[in-house]
Each structure stands twice: as C-alpha cells, then as structure tokens.
Amino acid sequence: MNTLGLSTLFRMGCICTSESVDINGIKYVVKELLGEGGFSCVELVEQASTRKKFALKRIKCHSIDDQKVASNEITYCKKMKHPNIIELIDACIKGSADSVVDTTSEAFLVLPYYKRGTLHDHLALKSFAKTYLDVREIIRIFYDICQAVKYMHDFSPEPIAHRDLKTGNVCLTDNLDPILMDLGSCAPAKQQICGTQDAQKLEDIAAERCSMTYRAPELFHVESYCVIDQKTDIWSLGCLLYALLYFKSPFDAVYERGDSVNLAVISGNIYFPEDAPFPKELHDQILSILKVNPAERPYIDDVIEQVDLYKRTLDTAV
C-alpha cells in the first residue's frame, strides 16, 4: 500500500510536457503520468526513433540505502525471465546518492506498457458493474500467477520471494494474461532472524514495502528467533485468489472501516458473502492457503496441484 512500483498503470491525465529522457543512448519522450507514489512514479513514454510506447518507472533515491534498493530491483528484473513476469527493457541509475553531501540519484526502468492497466483496475470495473469473473477465468489467471511465483520460489541458486503480491502488482495484457510486476520488494525467500534487532528490521521493511491487506501474519510481528520463508507469498496468493472472486482482499474491508488489519489477519477469520455464485471448492482452496501458522500453509507446488486438479474438474464438467 505504501509503495507504488507499477501498481497503478492507469491514465491520470496528460502532463503536457515535452520532457525527454536519455537512457543508455536511447531517447524517450514523456507523454503522460500513469501513477505516482511515495517511492516512485510511472510515466507513459514514447521512444523517439520508433514512437513505440513504454512505461518508465522513476525511483528517486535520497540516500545510499535508497540507491541500493533501486539497484536491487533492477538486478531482480534482469534475472527474471518468465512469460508471466514483467520484462525489463532497459535501465540505468543517474547521479549518486551520498548521505554525506545530501545529493540524490534517480533510477530509470523502461518496461512494457500495458494499456489495460492492472488486475486491480480490472476488478474495480467488474465491481462497479456488479459482475463477477467467470470461474474458468479466475482459475486461468490465478494459475498463471502461481506459475510466475513458482519460478521465483524455484529460482537457482537461491529461491526468491516477491513479498508484495497483490492485484495492483499484476498487469494485464490485451488477452487478459497476468504479468507479475514491481520487484522492488523482492528478497531471498529464506531469512534467518537472530534476535530482536533482526526482527524489528524485517518488520520495518515489511511495513514499508509489503501491502498491509495482503501481508502475511508473521511479517506483522516477527519473532526474535525464526526463519521467514516463501510462505509469506503463499498467504498473499490466498488474499489475491479471494480478490479474484470478490474484487478485494479479505482484509480490505477491515482497513476501510479503520479497524485493525493486524488483529484481523492474526485471527485468521475469513468471511465469504452468502449470495456469491462460487462453488465451495474455491472457498476451501482459499481457506487451505490462508493459514495463520506458515507451517500449515502449502508450498507453491501444492497450490498449483490443487488449482490444476480443480481446472481438470471444470473441463470434465463441460
């Protein structure tokens, strides 16, 4: 919630400028502001020579630590080669952030432009029209997102956790294929916590970069001696699957009421609307994922197996 990344690729109106940006010798002309947040902004740009459109993510770095985070995002983007993970077209960092002299730098990431926007935008339109997604469409989108997550969790030499899976961090192609994006929160999947200082540091990072209503319980109160692993992403996937059915995370309503999301997440109580046209099997899948104790959650392979089984059941019923 605190970080924009590319989480709102929708039109916010023309910014009426002829500003151009040079990235590794290629000129891009800024056309529109697509989204803006605390850490970055995203603009629609046009490559000057080809007039092809791209999304340009700018990350302002006010310290060496900020620049390191931006550099890590670029590194992760370069590593990820999967059809359901966003492609990095080009990137660079200009200037140098130095806390001693208080200068700033700026990271530039050239990314594909998805005119349909995000899954969040798509679900908002469906919610406004009071039209649920078809069950097969839900399964198809969720299955592809799970494949992207599996790629990250199986990554060699070290598994990677996304740590901010949510509908706003999934772009949609013209064919409504999901593209996982915003790798700024990515980190090694397994993190050994040794003491209160480590625990507090991870809590602070999670509060800053992991959206509250999709955040796993173990990231709200990190134990002083524990191992945090990729099961944090599994919890977020459960919230995302719920949103595919009901347009929002199961904890968004709690947030909107001003109640404690922390307490709601730790309670593990999930409410399903009584009049929704979805089979019990989908609700059971969500409940099997949203286990407060991470040890009780499935791994990504288990989630995919369950989804694939349900998909085959649907195909048989046709």
Side-chain angles (χ1 to χ4, degrees), residues 92-138:
C92 69
I93 296 178
K94 297 187 177 186
S96 178
D98 187 334
S99 58
V100 176
V101 296
D102 196 32
T103 59
T104 60
S105 63
E106 196 168 16
F108 297 85
L109 286 75
V110 182
L111 303 156
Y113 170 58
Y114 296 101
K115 61 184 179 183
R116 278 190 176 272
T118 68
L119 181 57
H120 175 272
D121 303 329
H122 184 64
L123 293 174
L125 291 174
K126 290 287 185 179
S127 177
F128 181 78
K130 294 181 171 58
T131 305
Y132 291 113
L133 265 66
D134 179 76
V135 172
R136 286 180 174 79
E137 187 78 347
I138 290 170

Side-chain angles (χ1 to χ4, degrees), residues 36-297:
E36 192 169 19
F39 298 105
S40 61
C41 72
V42 182
E43 297 164 333
L44 174 64
V45 297
E46 194 175 80
Q47 189 174 317
S49 60
T50 65
R51 306 197 69 175
K52 185 176 180 180
K53 290 180 171 58
F54 297 91
L56 177 66
K57 180 175 182 177
R58 300 188 189 217
I59 308 171
K60 187 74 75 174
C61 306
H62 299 282
S63 67
I64 294 174
D65 286 343
D66 287 351
Q67 187 168 300
K68 184 178 179 181
V69 170
S71 180
N72 283 342
E73 179 170 355
I74 292 171
T75 299
Y76 279 119
C77 285
K78 287 179 177 178
K79 286 180 178 180
M80 302 293 102
K81 304 294 181 183
H82 188 276
N84 296 109
I85 298 178
I86 199 161
E87 175 189 7
L88 180 66
I89 308 299
D90 204 351
C92 69
I93 296 178
K94 297 187 177 186
S96 178
D98 187 334
S99 58
V100 176
V101 296
D102 196 32
T103 59
T104 60
S105 63
E106 196 168 16
F108 297 85
L109 286 75
V110 182
L111 303 156
Y113 170 58
Y114 296 101
K115 61 184 179 183
R116 278 190 176 272
T118 68
L119 181 57
H120 175 272
D121 303 329
H122 184 64
L123 293 174
L125 291 174
K126 290 287 185 179
S127 177
F128 181 78
K130 294 181 171 58
T131 305
Y132 291 113
L133 265 66
D134 179 76
V135 172
R136 286 180 174 79
E137 187 78 347
I138 290 170
I139 294 301
R140 182 187 67 80
I141 292 172
F142 186 66
Y143 182 83
D144 285 351
I145 293 170
C146 285
Q147 290 294 337
V149 173
K150 174 178 168 56
Y151 175 86
M152 299 181 76
H153 288 189
D154 290 347
F155 200 80
S156 180
E158 184 176 40
I160 296 167
H162 186 281
R163 292 276 168 82
D164 197 22
L165 297 172
K166 60 180 180 179
T167 58
N169 279 343
V170 178
C171 275
L172 293 176
T173 68
D174 289 344
N175 296 323
L176 295 180
D177 296 322
I179 305 294
L180 185 58
M181 61 178 183
D182 196 350
L183 307 186
S185 56
C186 284
K190 291 189 176 182
Q191 296 197 24
Q192 183 80 47
I193 305 300
C194 300
T196 55
Q197 188 172 356
D198 281 357
Q200 187 60 56
K201 182 179 179 181
L202 183 55
E203 273 187 36
D204 292 344
I205 291 172
E208 183 178 281
R209 298 195 172 271
C210 306
S211 299
M212 185 182 295
T213 58
Y214 288 80
R215 192 187 311 162
E218 61 270 27
L219 292 177
F220 280 94
H221 292 291
V222 180
E223 296 181 7
S224 297
Y225 294 91
C226 68
V227 176
I228 300 293
D229 63 14
Q230 55 266 54
K231 294 290 188 72
T232 57
D233 281 350
I234 301 301
W235 175 275
S236 300
L237 278 174
C239 295
L240 195 152
L241 178 56
Y242 184 100
L244 280 167
L245 274 66
Y246 301 114
F247 313 123
K248 295 181 179 182
S249 158
F251 305 104
D252 274 326
V254 178
Y255 177 81
E256 289 162 3
R257 289 196 305 267
D259 294 337
S260 172
V261 174
N262 183 356
L263 291 177
V265 167
I266 291 171
S267 76
N269 293 325
I270 307 299
Y271 167 75
F272 295 106
E274 294 180 359
D275 58 348
F278 296 112
K280 180 178 180 297
E281 289 83 356
L282 270 180
H283 288 177
D284 289 344
Q285 169 116 38
I286 292 169
L287 293 175
S288 74
I289 295 173
L290 292 178
K291 299 291 187 182
V292 174
N293 182 351
E296 297 178 6
R297 281 177 227 149

Side-chain angles (χ1 to χ4, degrees), residues 298-313:
Y299 286 97
I300 189 61
D301 285 336
D302 301 316
V303 175
I304 289 173
E305 184 179 350
Q306 292 172 13
V307 175
D308 197 41
L309 178 61
Y310 186 61
K311 184 180 177 184
R312 291 200 300 270
T313 302

